[in-house]
Amino acid sequence: QQQVKQSPQSLIVQKGGISIINCAYENTAFDYFPWYQQFPGKGPALLIAIRPDVSEKKEGRFTISFNKSAKQFSLHIMDSQPGDSATYFCAASLLSARQLTFGSGTQLTVLP
Amino acid sequence: EAGVTQSPTHLIKTRGQQVTLRCSPISGHTSVYWYQQALGLGLQFLLWYDEGEERNRGNFPPRFSGRQFPNYSSELNVNALELEDSALYLCASSLGLTGTEAFFGQGTRLTVV
């Protein structure tokens, strides 16, 4: 019940295109859903996060869409750039436990 | 502002040995988290410390332990190293019990041979 399933495993997008990564969770008690970006040799960097009382959150080119009834959330990267090429992880957490459960990651490649 | 710093960046240990990894949180952050990023297993939660107390523990054996010091820095200790302990160990910090955002360091790459 603690799993977070992430898809696709890898994604190739042309420069300027939209990158979409999806995640599904099982534990309805989760109340915090962040997305992290990780470059090779670096630690994950927090991109954007959402709470379940909001259906969408946008920060610059990054948008989280959240569907509580379907227990799904997704990351949209608008106007994708080669510099966005990285591995993206979704995560879910019970804030009281501070235990992030991560998805398996999506390797995004943006072609110039 | 300095981010989360971890030391060492890399180390190689022999099976059966013990290792200590260190983490300094962002200034003002009182919570420290440890995660293991092993090949094929993804990012897995190890431990959460806040104000010197262990608040939560992931599904890891007791040979994984740690502590948090009065200055909020933290150590992760792994005893009786096994080959499968080879991984990137990541430390993160946040603003304590009211802080939701966790910021990660660059990690310590541990190789057990």
Side-chain angles (χ1 to χ4, degrees):
Chain A
Q1 201 178 19
Q2 294 294 323
Q3 254 191 329
V4 176
K5 294 182 180 178
Q6 183 171 347
S7 63
Q9 189 175 9
S10 63
L11 180 62
I12 299 174
V13 173
Q14 292 287 340
K15 178 183 175 181
I18 302 173
S19 303
I20 302 173
I21 305 171
N22 301 298
C23 284
Y25 63 97
E26 297 175 356
N27 187 346
T28 55
F30 284 147
D31 55 3
Y32 177 65
F33 301 87
W35 284 88
Y36 283 85
Q37 177 191 57
Q38 187 175 28
F39 292 104
K42 304 287 187 183
L46 179 65
L47 265 180
I48 186 172
I50 199 167
R51 301 292 299 273
D53 53 345
V54 176
S55 61
E56 186 175 281
K57 183 175 181 180
K58 183 176 180 179
E59 288 185 1
R61 296 185 294 111
F62 300 95
T63 300
I64 299 180
S65 296
F66 187 83
N67 186 330
K68 190 173 181 178
S69 60
K71 294 187 286 184
Q72 294 175 349
F73 58 111
S74 60
L75 176 69
H76 291 62
I77 306 174
M78 312 300 287
D79 187 27
S80 298
Q81 299 297 312
D84 296 331
S85 297
T87 300
Y88 292 80
F89 292 94
C90 63
S93 171
L94 263 171
L95 278 175
S96 59
R98 300 299 180 87
Q99 180 172 338
L100 287 168
T101 299
F102 283 87
S104 54
T106 296
Q107 190 166 352
L108 172 66
T109 302
V110 182
L111 300 175
Chain B
E1 180 182 300
V4 176
T5 57
Q6 293 186 241
S7 63
T9 53
H10 296 83
L11 74 165
I12 300 173
K13 289 286 188 177
T14 303
R15 190 173 55 180
Q17 284 188 314
Q18 178 265 342
V19 68
T20 298
L21 312 181
R22 294 177 175 83
C23 172
S24 292
I26 292 170
S27 178
H29 287 190
T30 63
S31 275
V32 169
Y33 313 85
W34 287 95
Y35 284 81
Q36 182 196 66
Q37 188 172 26
L39 204 61
L41 292 177
L43 283 144
Q44 294 185 288
F45 170 79
L46 267 165
L47 291 158
W48 168 31
Y49 290 96
D50 184 76
E51 295 285 357
E53 300 284 332
E54 182 180 300
R55 302 288 184 175
N56 192 14
R57 180 182 180 85
N59 189 25
F60 280 83
R63 58 190 185 84
F64 287 84
S65 65
R67 56 179 173 167
Q68 186 179 34
F69 298 97
N71 67 353
Y72 304 114
S73 67
S74 176
E75 286 182 351
L76 175 69
N77 298 293
V78 187
N79 294 321
L81 283 166
E82 300 178 1
L83 296 178
E84 46 267 36
D85 296 335
S86 295
L88 181 67
Y89 288 85
L90 292 159
C91 174
S93 72
S94 73
L95 277 168
L97 296 179
T98 59
T100 55
E101 298 181 337
F103 298 90
F104 283 83
Q106 295 202 42
T108 294
R109 172 72 63 186
L110 171 65
T111 302
V112 182
V113 297

